Amino acid sequence: MSAKSNKLVTLDEYIIQSQNRFPGATGELSQLLRDIGLAAKIISREVNKAGITSLLGADGSTNIHGESVKKLDLFADQQLISALDRSLITCMVISEENDGIVRLNSQGGKYIVYLDPLDGSSNIDVNVSIGSIFSIYMREARFDPNLVESDALQPGVRQVAAGYVLYGSSTIMVYTTGMGVSAFTLDPSIGEFILSDDDFQMPEHGRIYSINEGSYNSWELGLKKYIKYCQEEDDETGRPYKARYIGSMVADVHRTLIKGGIFIYPASKRYPNGKLRLMYECNPLSFIIEQAGGISTDGERRIMEIMPDALHQETPIFIGSKKNVEKVKEFLKEYREEVVS
Ligand code: AHM
Ligand code: MG
């Protein structure tokens, strides 16, 4: 991703400019995105300091180590929720850190926000990239003022915006409102997110596959065959592909967005429905990838068309460049059909 002009545009300026293109816009979604941007700056600052904390605790004490990771998860959760609460636009939040729905002060607020406040948090103690993921829905019009869980159970196609903030070698915010993918890089010297790309398209085909191969033995046959296909030599498609797996979905998907390829978290013996969460991991990242020209599926269905029946439900996911995902779907179909016949 690269800047398209020499003029620096901040996240706030960009959001306001985008909003001005829609005469009827109330500015509430813009405010919500700015709130998330502000919380992300605070989380980014603490994530950077966590390196020091873990160094101090790296004397073998699992207690300090574990506590510090947990604290940062909760810190991120609190920062994001209180930022959303302050502007009175969001009526409820569903977060990986909370079992049920979190009702905010503005019960009349029109937005519902899903959060994975710190995805990949087991990577904090080894200084590897982690991120905050968000997914925004509009509350369906109902006369009942009481918010209930079913208000939040909407398929991913109904997201009005989604994105993530990646705390990596630099802090990057990537989001979409359904009109392309915009990316911003945090300039720590001025404390602002600066626009780095405003209509990012990912490669149609990539030469990287990303999956936790430790579970190979319990995968379905079609997936095993696909991974072998990725490892075979073929000049035309540039195989063997490279294997890359960070273990933070947000970071693995970000790399996939930039370089192309595929990220997979399948069903396995240990996780029969996959491990990753539909509402605050798979849907928002699928919205971004689709807006950038990629594809995301659970093997059969488009991820964003899955009708959720629980806030924290899991799904298998195959996500990335169009050609790579289409290829894995072919393998899955072929070997699933063999099992049936
Ligand atoms: P988390 O949200 O609790 O950090 O867990 C989700 C993470 C994903 O970011 C990542 O893709 C996955 O767990 C890695 O799982 P595994 O260690 O099984 O490969
Ligand atoms: Mg997560």
Side-chain angles (χ1 to χ4, degrees):
M1 291 189 181
S2 58
K4 282 182 177 163
S5 84
N6 290 332
K7 183 183 176 318
L8 296 185
V9 178
T10 68
L11 174 66
D12 287 6
E13 284 169 341
Y14 180 83
I15 289 172
I16 290 165
Q17 282 168 14
S18 311
Q19 179 199 320
N20 289 343
R21 293 207 292 266
F22 297 91
T26 61
E28 288 173 307
L29 182 60
S30 303
Q31 180 61 45
L32 207 165
L33 291 167
R34 294 208 301 272
D35 292 341
I36 290 174
L38 177 63
K41 284 191 230 175
I42 299 168
I43 298 167
S44 177
R45 187 190 64 200
E46 292 304 309
V47 166
N48 288 338
K49 281 198 281 188
I52 304 168
T53 318
S54 80
L55 266 182
L56 290 174
D59 56 358
S61 161
T62 47
N63 189 22
I64 293 169
H65 222 48
E67 254 177 28
S68 134
V69 169
K70 193 172 167 228
K71 268 194 215 153
L72 208 47
D73 273 355
L74 293 179
F75 177 83
D77 192 48
Q78 283 157 6
Q79 286 302 320
L80 285 160
I81 291 179
S82 60
L84 294 171
D85 205 12
R86 272 196 300 273
S87 51
L88 301 175
I89 299 163
T90 306
C91 59
M92 77 163 111
V93 168
I94 298 90
S95 150
E96 189 180 1
E97 296 298 327
N98 302 282
D99 274 350
I101 59 175
V102 179
R103 295 181 176 84
L104 300 191
N105 284 316
S106 172
Q107 292 292 292
K110 72 175 180 209
Y111 290 108
I112 296 171
V113 180
Y114 278 87
L115 296 171
D116 183 348
L118 218 46
D119 178 57
S121 52
S122 61
N123 275 324
I124 294 171
D125 51 355
V126 289
N127 241 323
V128 169
S129 301
I130 50 181
S132 303
I133 310 176
F134 59 92
S135 165
I136 303 172
Y137 292 84
M138 202 107 99
R139 187 182 173 188
E140 283 180 43
R142 280 198 313 124
F143 295 109
D144 186 350
N146 296 318
L147 291 168
V148 289
E149 202 173 290
S150 58
D151 286 317
L153 293 174
Q154 303 182 35
V157 283
R158 302 262 282 272
Q159 293 171 103
V160 293
Y164 58 85
V165 182
L166 181 67
Y167 313 106
S169 44
S170 57
T171 294
I172 291 179
M173 179 166 173
V174 177
Y175 78 82
T176 181
T177 55
M179 289 179 303
V181 175
S182 307
F184 302 82
T185 305
L186 182 62
D187 180 341
S189 65
I190 55 169
E192 292 282 2
F193 280 104
I194 304 295
L195 181 67
S196 37
D197 214 299
D198 67 354
D199 189 13
F200 186 78
Q201 287 294 301
M202 68 185 297
E204 205 185 11
H205 171 253
R207 297 178 48 209
I208 300 175
Y209 72 96
S210 183
I211 186 168
N212 182 345
E213 282 188 76
S215 306
Y216 180 90
N217 287 337
S218 71
W219 295 341
E220 64 185 294
L221 186 57
L223 179 56
K224 287 179 175 169
K225 296 273 185 192
Y226 173 71
I227 295 300
K228 287 294 165 212
Y229 161 89
C230 293
Q231 296 166 347
E232 280 161 15
E233 270 190 45
D234 176 58
D235 288 344
E236 203 184 314
T237 48
R239 287 176 286 140
Y241 297 155
K242 290 180 187 172
R244 293 283 185 272
Y245 190 73
I246 297 168
S248 292
M249 183 195 196
V250 61
D252 278 312
V253 171
H254 183 69
R255 183 203 52 247
T256 308
L257 178 72
I258 308 296
K259 298 203 164 185
I262 187 165
F263 169 80
I264 301 173
Y265 205 107
S268 63
K269 195 170 169 195
R270 188 163 172 205
Y271 299 110
N273 301 315
K275 175 185 176 190
L276 300 177
R277 310 298 177 138
L278 174 65
M279 300 305 287
Y280 44 81
E281 293 178 322
C282 299
N283 270 335
L285 296 179
S286 299
F287 195 11
I288 296 277
I289 288 287
E290 283 198 8
Q291 283 291 312
I295 298 187
S296 174
T297 171
D298 71 349
E300 279 170 10
R301 296 171 294 177
R302 183 181 169 207
I303 288 286
M304 290 206 293
E305 285 177 0
I306 298 174
M307 188 61 214
D309 49 37
L311 301 176
H312 299 279
Q313 84 185 57
E314 298 114 345
T315 176
I317 185 165
F318 304 80
I319 182 169
S321 294
K322 191 166 175 282
K323 288 198 168 152
N324 300 65
V325 179
E326 274 167 358
K327 182 54 90 178
V328 74
K329 277 173 76 177
E330 277 172 31
F331 273 90
L332 297 175
K333 190 162 181 277
E334 181 182 342
Y335 289 93
R336 283 177 187 175
E337 275 168 5
E338 252 182 34
V339 171
V340 174
S341 58

